[in-house]
Structures are given as structure tokens and as C-alpha cells.
Amino acid sequence: MAGMTIANKCASKGLTVGITDELPYGGTCALRGCDPKKVIIGATEVQEFAKRFKGSGIDTIPKVNWKDIMAFKQTFVDEMPPKLEKGYKKNGIDTYHSSAKFLSENTLKVGNDKIKAKKIVIASGSKPRVLEFEGGHFAKTSTDFLNLEELPKSLLFIGGGYIAFEFAHIAARCGAEVTIVHRGNNPLENFEQDIVKHLVSATKQLGVKLILNTDVTAIEKLDNKYRVKGKSAEKTEYFEANAVFNSAGRPPAIFDLDLEKANIAFTKKGISVNEHLQNTSNPIIYAAGDAADSEGLPLTPVAVLEGHTVASNIIKGNHKKISYPPMPTVVFTLPTMASVGYTESKAKELNYNIRINYKEVGDWFNAKRLNVPEYAFKTIIDEETQTILGAHLIGPHTEETINLFAMAIKTKMKVNDIRTMIFSYPTLASDIPHML
């Protein structure tokens, strides 16, 4: 999405532009991530809603038809690449479909072509982490999960991040046995742990086995299963599943580009950039999205924001510094978990004088009318300015409610101004004043 934004914006201003991707145009979000995942989740949401109301007006819980939902998902995926390619050609952008490698500071090899450019943008996104242990190649990727023709009877996810939890919830609701093996003590460690514990509880209630403090050290292929070896401080365990998925993180997809030949500084987090998203060692190079070692979270809207900044700096010269508004992020499980702004530990680290509101609110009307067992919030208030520093939620449709908190943080709305607003009722947004 960063690359698409930059290419189209620069072409619209008369620059000669080319773009390449060894995979179909569209990027991870549209083809292999957020969009298809959300389409699949839609079917499980219907099932979950019916399950909660069984005996309270609903008699039958529907089953998810995996083949049908995958076919529906594919209609969204299939239309994207040709649509984007048509747009590129309409804008006069040269399109390539090969991997790229640097030959020098301003020259790339793209397929069989050598291309020299005055400015080169690296917006190559991220890809699944390579599992270095024995049998690591047996683990499938998140892309493979989203393209499963049939759902395996049992699945094991290596790593306890948002990909593992989202896919575990989908698979479990579709009838599979699911295990998550996580090397650390806390899954989803970048989120507010007081809220994560509610998601862990809901995940276990769903029947998902969550194994913590365990390193996966090998995968062995059996006849029709895989045996996964896990080591903890106390013991070695073995887990069996019909399919194993690598959800151990997504590093930037930059390490096959021969960056050294172009004098491009980089870290394990991505291309090193300054405030203009320009490389710190080769000034003709810019980077955006997951490929950049920037302060932006690895989220599609952030990639688009960085893309606009890079395009502006290429067109007009370095005049625009990247500035990040509050960046809401969501784990699309059921219930959803959403976060924006500082966690409690981060606010304390920055020496804010804070007030914490943390509460489980399963007894609130919205929780009871929707018959949801998990509904909780944690808000972090700056006592000096009486503004919100962070909000962390779990419950029904928190992916929507969190956007209102993001708006309040960005505009520095006073807590009392929010409390005295009139919200439509009964809605989930009408709970916000009571969270402050």
C-alpha cells in the first residue's frame, strides 16, 4: 500500500515511475492479510452471535461452510491485482513482476532488466520469519492458512502474536482442535497485559490450548500429521497436529535485496531512515511501510501515511517530516481487543502523572444485552492536562469504539468534555464516558 501510494502520487505529478512486485499487485493487507481475514471472520461472527443467543431467542447455531466462505473471500482477492495494474497503466506507470536486487547505489536488476533511477523507494513490506530449527520448512504461513481448501482437523501455531490468536479463533469456531505454542510468559506482549488476560481467558474457553514459556525446536513429519518438539525450562514436550503454522512474527522483506551493493543502511527492523523517511546512508533511497525502520506501527493505514510523506518529499524535495497521529490497532478475535496510545508501563516510563481506570464490565447493559462474557477497559488519563493518553479495550466491536478514543487523543479532548457529550443510546460508544 505504501508503494502504490507513492507510485500513483509521483506519476500524477509528471514523474517517470516504475513499480515491481514478485507477487501479485495489492500487497499483504489486500491479498494475504487484513482484508481476506476479515471476510472469513464475518462467518464466524454470525455463528458466535447465534451461539450467545441460543435459548434467548435463537434455536439453531449455524455451521460455517469452509469452502463457501473461502470462495466468497476469493472474490475480494481476485479482483484486486488486475484493478491495480489497470490503474498503474492508466497513470503511465511501468509495471514489472519480478524480484529486485541492487547492483549499485542507483541501479536495480529487476528480472532481466537493469533499471537506473534518480530516486528508489523500498516498500517491500514484511514476510514470515524463517524458522531456523530442524523441520522448520514444514510450517505453513499465514498466506497458506488463508488459502486452505479444507480446514485441517487439528492445527498448531508457533508464536503467540495477533496472527496466531486471530487464526486460532477462526479455526476453533470452525470445529478444529487448535494449539498455540509461545516462547514467552505473556502472549501478545505489545498489548496492555491487563486486557490480554481477558482474551487469554476467552481463547481457552473456546477450547484453544495455550502453551507458554515453550520454545519450538523441531518439527517432524509423520504419516498424516506433524510432531512438534517444544522445550521449556522444566521439560521437553511433543505436540501433534495435522498442520503447523508459522506465526512467529514478520520481519521486513529487505534482506534479499543486496542492500550492501547500494550502500543502504539497515537494521533487523528495516531500512534505516531519517525524519523524511530517507535512508541515512544513501540519499536517493527512501523507505515506507513495514520495510522501513520507522516509529510507525506495521499497519496498512500507517504505510499509506508514510507513502504520502515519501511521495511529497520526492516531488518537492525534503520538506515534510513524518508525523504519526495516534495509531489504533486491533486483534480481530471474538471478542475483539483494541488498543491506542500509551500502555500504563509506557506512560510511567515517560513520567506522566497518570490516573488509571481499569474495570471488568460484564454487568453493564451493553454486555448483558449482547450476552458477552468478556467486556473490560483500561484507560490512562493525564492528571495534569485531563486528556487521554491511552485506551485498551476488549469486548463487542471494540474495533469501532477504539477509533473514537484515537480521535479524542489526537484532538486532545478534555475528559470532562467527553463526559458531557450526548451519545446515541444504547450504543457501545455510549459507554465511553463511563470509562473515564
Side-chain angles (χ1 to χ4, degrees), residues 242-319:
N242 294 119
V244 180
F245 291 88
N246 173 10
S247 50
R250 293 178 61 88
I254 62 170
F255 303 111
D256 297 328
L257 300 178
D258 290 347
L259 299 171
E260 296 85 354
K261 292 182 179 178
N263 187 34
I264 297 172
F266 63 96
T267 71
K268 64 180 182 179
K269 294 181 180 179
I271 303 298
S272 302
V273 291
N274 60 21
E275 59 198 359
H276 303 291
L277 298 178
Q278 179 185 42
N279 184 234
T280 53
S281 58
N282 181 345
I284 77 162
I285 304 295
Y286 290 79
D290 294 2
D293 183 2
S294 69
E295 293 179 14
L297 295 178
L299 302 168
T300 299
V302 176
V304 173
L305 171 71
E306 291 185 346
H308 281 293
T309 301
V310 167
S312 187
N313 287 329
I314 288 174
I315 294 163
K316 300 178 183 177
N318 285 351
H319 71 106

Side-chain angles (χ1 to χ4, degrees), residues 160 165 169 180 185-188 193-212 333 335 337 374 394:
F165 272 77
H169 274 236
I180 298 172
N185 187 47
N186 298 310
L188 296 158
Q193 288 300 303
D194 279 334
I195 300 299
V196 170
K197 72 181 184 184
H198 294 281
L199 180 54
V200 167
S201 174
T203 303
K204 289 179 177 178
Q205 286 286 324
L206 191 56
V208 175
K209 296 174 186 173
L210 183 58
I211 312 297
L212 301 176
T333 45
M337 185 174 73
E374 296 286 351
I394 187 167

Side-chain angles (χ1 to χ4, degrees), residues 112 143 158 162 298 364:
N112 295 321
T143 302
I158 300 171
Y162 72 94
W364 282 8

Side-chain angles (χ1 to χ4, degrees), residues 201-434:
S201 174
T203 303
K204 289 179 177 178
Q205 286 286 324
L206 191 56
V208 175
K209 296 174 186 173
L210 183 58
I211 312 297
L212 301 176
N213 298 308
T214 301
D215 259 319
V216 172
T217 58
I219 304 172
E220 178 188 359
K221 191 176 190 323
L222 307 177
D223 288 340
N224 61 346
K225 283 190 174 185
Y226 295 90
R227 180 184 288 135
V228 176
K229 183 179 181 181
K231 276 192 171 183
S232 65
E234 296 81 25
K235 58 185 176 180
T236 297
E237 289 183 89
Y238 292 89
F239 311 93
E240 290 189 3
N242 294 119
V244 180
F245 291 88
N246 173 10
S247 50
R250 293 178 61 88
I254 62 170
F255 303 111
D256 297 328
L257 300 178
D258 290 347
L259 299 171
E260 296 85 354
K261 292 182 179 178
N263 187 34
I264 297 172
F266 63 96
T267 71
K268 64 180 182 179
K269 294 181 180 179
I271 303 298
S272 302
V273 291
N274 60 21
E275 59 198 359
H276 303 291
L277 298 178
Q278 179 185 42
N279 184 234
T280 53
S281 58
N282 181 345
I284 77 162
I285 304 295
Y286 290 79
D290 294 2
D293 183 2
S294 69
E295 293 179 14
L297 295 178
L299 302 168
T300 299
V302 176
V304 173
L305 171 71
E306 291 185 346
H308 281 293
T309 301
V310 167
S312 187
N313 287 329
I314 288 174
I315 294 163
K316 300 178 183 177
N318 285 351
H319 71 106
K320 192 171 186 178
K321 297 178 182 179
I322 185 66
S323 176
Y324 298 99
M327 295 175 277
T329 182
V330 177
V331 181
F332 284 100
T333 45
L334 295 175
T336 53
M337 185 174 73
S339 176
V340 67
Y342 295 145
T343 59
E344 178 182 352
S345 59
K346 186 64 177 179
K348 286 179 177 176
E349 179 188 319
L350 295 171
N351 294 317
Y352 280 97
N353 176 21
I354 57 175
R355 172 168 54 85
I356 304 293
N357 294 326
Y358 168 52
K359 194 173 183 182
E360 300 175 39
V361 288
D363 59 344
W364 282 8
F365 175 72
N366 273 325
K368 291 167 79 172
R369 73 176 173 85
L370 294 169
N371 206 16
V372 293
E374 296 286 351
Y375 190 21
F377 67 88
K378 186 173 190 177
T379 53
I380 296 139
I381 311 296
D382 184 341
E383 287 280 47
E384 293 180 13
T385 63
Q386 285 299 299
T387 56
I388 302 168
L389 293 173
H392 312 276
L393 317 171
I394 187 167
H397 299 296
T398 59
E399 74 274 18
E400 302 292 349
T401 309
I402 202 69
N403 291 319
L404 296 175
F405 278 104
M407 191 182 301
I409 295 172
K410 179 175 170 57
T411 57
K412 295 182 169 56
M413 283 186 73
K414 301 286 186 183
V415 167
N416 196 52
D417 289 337
I418 300 171
R419 283 189 184 135
T420 54
M421 282 179 60
I422 299 293
F423 289 84
S424 60
Y425 179 87
T427 61
L428 290 159
S430 67
D431 286 343
I432 290 175
H434 306 288

Side-chain angles (χ1 to χ4, degrees), residues 24-38:
Y25 290 142
T28 300
C29 182
L31 305 183
R32 304 175 291 278
C34 354
D35 288 0
K37 170 194 71 184
K38 195 70 166 73

